[in-house]
């Protein structure tokens, strides 16, 4: 069981400076996150309010590998004094990862209700789709077609306006 | 493995330079799209242009989710490709593109199922040439002609499209009827009055349409208003301001007929104004509570008053640079009005004015700017201007220079001025003998980015490192535009950078090849 402390920063939450929240991933790893960073997640915000402080909050939907990165993201976004341009560059690096990981981030951001991370990652997937033909999209995401070639031709013909 | 991307993006289209295009495909056999909940897929599809979202209907993992997207983006540049044309060449009427575009909008709206639309965007050239051609033989009176155009054909359809969005309580409406067309030509689409009476709109952008100035304007929720190429009168701007009590940001570009922009509202925080070329009279801007002002276009016509709360400002000109020094007393007045702001952004035309002043031994007005952002080319014609502003800004703590590509200042045939002034070759900074107050006392942070692989950049950075005695950090980066810089070039540049002597012992130098 490894414990990875978040990067130390001067972020102080209104209630209790540097109060640490413990999180437990689906595979049993424990992580600590500063309260200010944890408040980026609406899910965690609700749980903290309900006074689950003390025992690690179980997050059965998020693996340790992903949770570590989510903690890193939230901590960075809670840091004071980071200018917009630097943060954007940091975000771009953060999502410069394998496709599978981006999807894991999306699911984690959705479960934990972290709007900034959700927006960022959904934009990445949208960028993967934009400008591609359906064939290219299928290939890129490994999606099997359920239509036979004739059926697909029919669907395209019916909706020709989308393919002009 | 790089995928082919077909982005017919227009002048404003940003082909997102995402790293994602380099990402390897996911392992064979795993369809991750299907693992995402519908709400997420709808969110992702809502980020796409309408046509791309609609195309997912042939992909089973998406099914018919595209019909529930809440942002509808209809941009005719997916059908009309004029990226190859220079800015001079105006596009001839592209009937094919228009008809495909209109068909797309009709079908998408017909099939749309979501109950709510958050954002609705239309961008296409509303050209009524063809309608005119058809109506000409009828020999109508001008008023009759105008009525026919306003109600018939395309205009009628566009009305219905906008009605559709309004009926779904649209919050952000972005209507651009100019696209790549010639401005100020003939008949324009007339915006139905109900748009300006919406209680749901929070953002409204209108480009090149006719606005019924006699109708009431009441948009209680509107925070952002942008008007471009709209014929106005003083009253109409006042009506907009009065009718939008929570307005925070106002942009007025090339709107003929604007004489005064008065707003005492505490809510209005930022104003962007660019007087148009047809403007005959002065344009007075008096908004005592705004924090942010951005001016461009024919700024010589601007009269700035009561800007006591202003904290940041941005200046740019239009393209026609005439090197007659007397004309720039207007610019001097504007810089004096802005002397108290904390953050000033200057684009490259104003810097050329400073160059002319420098070469004539006229200083830039003294100021208390703390943060200076320059968005400019860096040619030998810009260096005297930069020296001038550095010398005149004793409070400067942060200098940000974003370098846009370009070797010669003017695009238009104004090169005559380049010959009038003798600008030395070689390292300009080595020849500077006067002192620079801010460098000795104040300047802490310097960021340089953009097209940095040039001698001028190296020389400027060398100079700053030597003279800035309290410098804490210098960051040089190539982002955000991709440049094809080899690893070797990058290393050479970085080594040189790190080898320069530093006037400030605690200066940290960072080179980033993003």
């Amino acid at each position: 069981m490894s414990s990875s402390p978040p990067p130390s920063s001067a972020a102080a939450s209104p209630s209790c400076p540097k109060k640490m929240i413990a999180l437990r991933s689906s595979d049993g790893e424990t992580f600590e996150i500063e309260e200010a960073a944890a408040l980026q997640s609406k899910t965690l915000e609700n749980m903290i309010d309900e006074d689950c402080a003390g025992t690690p909050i179980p997050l059965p939907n998020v693996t340790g590998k992903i949770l570590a990165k989510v903690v890193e993201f939230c901590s960075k976004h809670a840091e004071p004094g980071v200018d917009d341009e630097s943060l954007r560059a940091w975000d771009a690096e953060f999502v410069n990862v394998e496709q599978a990981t981006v999807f894991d981030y999306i699911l984690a951001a959705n479960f934990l209700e972290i709007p900034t991370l959700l927006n960022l990652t959904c934009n990445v997937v949208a960028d993967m789709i934009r400008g591609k033909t359906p064939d290219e999209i299928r290939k890129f995401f490994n999606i099997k077609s359920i239509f036979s070639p004739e059926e697909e031709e029919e669907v395209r013909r019916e909706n020709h306006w989308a393919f002009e | 493995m790089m995928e082919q991307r077909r982005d017919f993006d227009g002048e404003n289209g940003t082909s997102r330079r995402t790293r994602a295009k380099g990402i390897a495909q996911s392992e064979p056999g795993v369809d991750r799209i299907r693992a995402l909940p519908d709400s997420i897929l709808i969110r992702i599809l809502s980020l796409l242009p309408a046509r791309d979202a609609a195309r997912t209907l042939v992909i089973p993992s998406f099914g018919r989710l595209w019909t529930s997207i809440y942002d509808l983006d209809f941009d005719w540049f997916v059908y009309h490709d004029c990226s190859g044309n220079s800015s001079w060449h105006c596009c001839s009427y592209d009937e094919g593109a228009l008809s495909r575009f209109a068909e797309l909008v009709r079908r998408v709206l017909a099939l749309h199922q979501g109950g709510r639309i958050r954002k609705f965007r239309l961008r296409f050239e509303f050209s009524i040439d063809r309608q005119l051609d058809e109506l000409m033989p009828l020999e109508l009176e001008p008023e009759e002609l105008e009525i026919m155009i306003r109600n018939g054909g395309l205009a009628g359809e566009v009305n219905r499209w906008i009605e559709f969005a309004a009926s779904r309580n649209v919050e952000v409406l972005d209507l651009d009827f100019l696209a790549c067309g010639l401005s100020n030509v003939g008949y324009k689409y007339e915006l139905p009055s109900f748009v300006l009476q919406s209680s749901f709109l929070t953002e409204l952008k209108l480009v090149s349409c006719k606005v019924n100035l006699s109708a009431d304007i009441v948009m209680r929720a509107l925070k952002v208003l942008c008007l471009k190429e709209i014929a106005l009168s003083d009253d109409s701007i006042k009506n907009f301001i009065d009718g939008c009590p929570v307005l925070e940001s106002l942009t007025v570009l090339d709107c003929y007929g604007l004489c005064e922009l008065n707003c005492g509202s505490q809510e209005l925080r930022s104003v962007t104004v660019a007087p148009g070329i047809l403007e005959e009279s002065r344009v007075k801007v008096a908004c005592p509570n705004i924090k942010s002002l951005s001016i461009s276009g024919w700024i010589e016509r601007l009269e700035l008053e009561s800007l006591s709360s202003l904290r940041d400002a941005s200046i740019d000109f239009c393209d026609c640079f005439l090197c007659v020094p007397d004309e720039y007393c207007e610019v001097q007045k504007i810089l004096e009005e802005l002397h108290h702001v904390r953050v000033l952004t200057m684009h490259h035309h104003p810097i050329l004015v400073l160059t002319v002043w420098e070469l004539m031994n006229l200083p830039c007005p003294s100021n208390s700017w703390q943060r200076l952002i320059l968005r400019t080319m860096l040619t030998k014609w810009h260096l005297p201007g930069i020296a001038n502003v550095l010398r005149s800004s004793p409070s400067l703590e942060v200098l940000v220079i974003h370098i846009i590509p370009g070797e010669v200042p003017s695009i238009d045939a104004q090169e005559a001025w380049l010959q009038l002034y003798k600008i030395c070759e070689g390292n300009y900074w080595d020849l500077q003998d006067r002192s620079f107050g801010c460098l000795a006392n104040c300047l802490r942070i310097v960021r340089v980015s953009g097209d940095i692989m040039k001698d001028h950049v190296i020389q400027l950075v060398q100079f700053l490192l030597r003279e800035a005695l309290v410098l804490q950090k210098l960051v040089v980066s190539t982002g955000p535009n991709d440049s094809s810089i080899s690893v070797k070039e990058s290393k050479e540049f970085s080594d040189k950078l790190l080898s320069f002597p530093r006037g400030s012992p605690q200066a940290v130098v960072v080179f980033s090849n993003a």
Side-chain angles (χ1 to χ4, degrees), chain B residues 38 42-43 45-46 64-72 111-117:
Chain B
D38 283 357
I42 291 173
R43 185 189 266 259
L45 292 176
S46 298
R64 297 192 63 74
L65 287 176
W66 76 273
T67 59
S68 299
I69 60 178
Y70 47 80
D71 287 353
L72 291 172
L111 294 169
H112 191 265
Q113 288 187 332
R116 164 192 159 248
I117 293 180

Side-chain angles (χ1 to χ4, degrees), chain B residues 304-471:
Chain B
L304 305 181
E305 310 191 341
S306 41
L307 296 170
S308 43
S309 304
L310 207 61
R311 286 177 47 191
D312 67 87
S314 167
I315 308 181
D316 196 3
F317 275 21
C318 62
D319 240 1
C320 302
F321 183 71
L322 301 167
C323 66
V324 180
D326 291 30
E327 289 196 5
Y328 296 105
C329 63
E330 306 287 1
V331 178
Q332 187 174 10
K333 263 201 289 185
I334 288 179
L335 289 178
E336 281 165 6
E337 281 291 332
L338 299 176
H339 77 278
H340 62 290
V341 305
R342 278 181 36 193
V343 182
L344 186 77
T345 301
M346 260 198 229
H347 292 76
H348 88 104
H349 286 103
I351 293 176
L352 292 176
V353 171
L354 291 171
T355 291
V356 172
W357 287 344
E358 174 77 359
L359 297 172
M360 303 188 56
N361 276 317
L362 297 170
C364 167
S366 70
N367 60 74
S368 51
W369 303 328
Q370 292 174 11
R371 189 178 169 113
L372 184 65
I373 303 171
L374 305 177
R375 293 192 185 277
T376 177
M377 295 178 221
L378 204 67
T379 69
K380 68 178 187 183
W381 292 283
H382 294 90
L383 303 180
I386 295 179
N388 193 332
V389 71
L390 283 180
R391 214 178 292 113
S392 317
S393 311
S395 314
L396 198 62
E397 296 176 24
V398 179
L399 176 65
V400 178
I401 308 181
H402 179 74
I403 300 168
I404 58 186
E407 304 302 317
V408 180
S410 309
I411 307 169
D412 304 342
Q414 308 288 348
E415 272 101 35
W417 83 275
L418 297 176
Q419 319 306 330
L420 277 187
Y421 297 98
K422 194 160 183 306
I423 301 186
C424 43
E425 303 290 340
N427 190 332
Y428 180 79
W429 304 102
D430 285 344
L431 305 168
Q432 293 304 301
D433 51 7
R434 288 184 271 170
S435 68
F436 291 78
C438 65
L439 295 185
N441 303 318
C442 261
L443 192 66
R444 294 182 290 111
I445 299 180
V446 177
R447 288 186 210 278
V448 182
S449 65
D451 194 18
I452 58 170
M453 292 294 173
K454 294 175 125 114
D455 284 347
H456 286 301
V457 180
I458 281 274
Q459 287 166 2
L460 173 60
V461 168
Q462 182 180 24
F463 169 74
L464 290 171
L465 278 173
R466 193 175 66 227
E467 301 293 327
L469 304 178
V470 295
L471 190 67

Side-chain angles (χ1 to χ4, degrees), chain B residues 210-312:
Chain B
K210 201 164 142 196
V211 171
N212 184 353
L213 301 179
S214 53
D216 278 342
I217 298 178
V218 183
M219 290 182 280
R220 294 191 211 291
L222 197 74
K223 292 198 174 168
V224 177
L225 177 63
C226 175
L227 303 172
K228 184 171 170 186
E229 304 244 0
I230 312 270
L232 292 176
S233 64
D234 279 340
D235 280 350
S236 50
I237 266 291
K238 187 172 184 310
N239 288 342
F240 272 107
I241 293 176
D242 288 345
C244 306
V246 298
L247 194 65
E248 291 176 7
S249 163
L250 176 63
T251 298
V252 185
L253 306 173
D254 294 320
C255 291
Y256 178 69
L258 178 72
C259 296
E260 261 188 24
L261 224 165
N262 281 345
C263 181
S265 153
Q266 292 283 350
E267 304 297 327
L268 190 64
R269 291 208 284 260
S270 96
V271 167
T272 300
V273 61
I277 190 170
L278 293 179
E279 228 42 89
E280 289 145 3
S281 57
R282 315 282 293 166
V283 178
K284 194 166 85 163
V285 177
C287 305
N289 294 311
I290 62 172
K291 301 272 188 302
S292 169
L293 176 68
S294 177
I295 58 180
S296 60
W298 289 79
I299 69 174
E300 293 97 323
R301 302 220 186 279
L302 281 178
E303 232 172 73
L304 305 181
E305 310 191 341
S306 41
L307 296 170
S308 43
S309 304
L310 207 61
R311 286 177 47 191
D312 67 87

